[in-house]
Amino acid sequence: MITNICKTGLVIIGLVVSGTSLMGQLPASDIYLCNVKWNQKNILINKPVLLSSFNADKYNNQPYFEDYQNIYVTSGDSNNKTDIVKLNLFDREYF
């Protein structure tokens, strides 16, 4: 029983230590919108459109589709400050 508690404690400490090292810098990432078609044998992904060009080479992640016209994304700058940005897919505007 004590051995199991010690192992569990080591796993929790390991997760906390590894989690704190991830807080250093946000990874550069982009968001694309693509057409997706599939049948029983194949998945076809084509016509990619870069949606995060307003924040190129910086953190852009966690898209949430409000409807067919608007999505929200989390964007970060080089100072690790993040904000939620609303993208209008039809007008190609962001707020």
Side-chain angles (χ1 to χ4, degrees), residues 5-94:
I5 293 172
C6 290
K7 287 180 183 177
T8 303
L10 290 175
V11 170
I12 291 171
I13 291 170
L15 290 174
V16 171
V17 170
S18 66
T20 56
S21 67
L22 295 175
M23 297 163 78
Q25 186 175 4
L26 296 171
S29 54
D30 291 312
I31 298 174
Y32 289 87
L33 182 66
C34 303
N35 288 339
V36 178
K37 295 181 181 181
W38 64 88
N39 58 32
Q40 293 179 354
K41 294 183 181 181
N42 298 313
I43 297 175
L44 177 64
I45 300 172
N46 61 13
K47 298 183 183 177
V49 176
L50 177 63
L51 298 180
S52 56
S53 59
F54 66 92
N55 195 33
D57 299 324
K58 297 191 177 58
Y59 180 77
N60 302 289
N61 210 331
Q62 304 174 17
Y64 170 77
F65 286 81
E66 178 182 39
D67 51 31
Y68 288 106
Q69 184 172 351
N70 300 296
I71 65 170
Y72 292 90
V73 299
T74 303
S75 291
D77 61 16
S78 55
N79 296 322
N80 289 338
K81 294 182 181 180
T82 58
D83 204 354
I84 298 173
V85 178
K86 180 178 181 179
L87 302 172
N88 184 300
L89 300 175
F90 295 127
D91 298 333
R92 308 267 176 144
E93 295 178 338
Y94 63 94

